[in-house]
Amino acid sequence: QVQLVESGGGSVQPGGSLRLSCAATGSPFCMGWFRQAPGKTREGVAFLDVNGNTAYAYSVKGRFTVSKDDTNNILYLQMNTLKPEDSAMYYCVADGHRTALQALDVMTSLGPTAFIARGQGTLVTVSS
């Protein structure tokens, strides 16, 4: 059974950077991030599969980068040029068989319950 623990959230000014981490037990086929802000629809943010394929939401392309330390089973989300609209609770999820692009699509259509594991979340606040 895959378990996920996120860390790295915090408060930052617009234009700043943060790096989120997600430590996983086991080696799922695909891992990624989604976010949920109060009063807003959840949004798949970025996914990475074991073949090195990535998929990003249009809203974060060019600013966020997802990567993984395969030795230690840690997924990262490097977030640069942060905007106030990036403020949300960020959750890590794992999937057993979908590619990164499929996982991003499924997050949009079905949500996190379609995944095999979800972390407890870490809060990101972007404000001046």
Side-chain angles (χ1 to χ4, degrees):
Q1 184 176 354
V2 176
Q3 293 184 323
L4 306 171
V5 178
E6 303 99 330
S7 60
S11 295
V12 64
Q13 292 186 339
S17 298
L18 281 175
R19 189 177 78 161
L20 306 183
S21 300
C22 173
T25 59
S27 299
F29 186 84
C30 179
M31 293 177 67
W33 300 89
F34 79 96
R35 63 189 180 186
Q36 180 85 60
K40 294 188 178 180
T41 305
R42 69 177 178 274
E43 181 182 25
V45 176
F47 287 85
L48 171 68
D49 64 38
V50 295
N51 294 318
N53 300 306
T54 58
Y56 295 93
Y58 179 80
S59 59
V60 306
K61 271 185 179 179
R63 300 188 299 122
F64 291 12
T65 302
V66 62
S67 62
K68 190 166 181 277
D69 176 349
D70 290 324
T71 301
N72 297 299
N73 282 336
I74 300 175
L75 183 75
Y76 297 104
L77 184 68
Q78 179 66 45
M79 305 186 294
N80 298 329
T81 320
L82 282 161
K83 305 175 181 181
E85 51 264 42
D86 294 317
S87 298
M89 186 72 80
Y90 283 71
Y91 298 89
C92 180
V93 292
D95 192 88
H97 63 280
R98 297 183 180 105
T99 66
L101 185 57
Q102 290 171 339
L104 184 63
D105 287 343
V106 166
M107 177 58 71
T108 300
S109 60
L110 298 177
T113 57
F115 292 77
I116 61 174
R118 185 183 88 172
Q120 82 288 352
T122 187
L123 183 63
V124 172
T125 303
V126 185
S127 173
S128 55

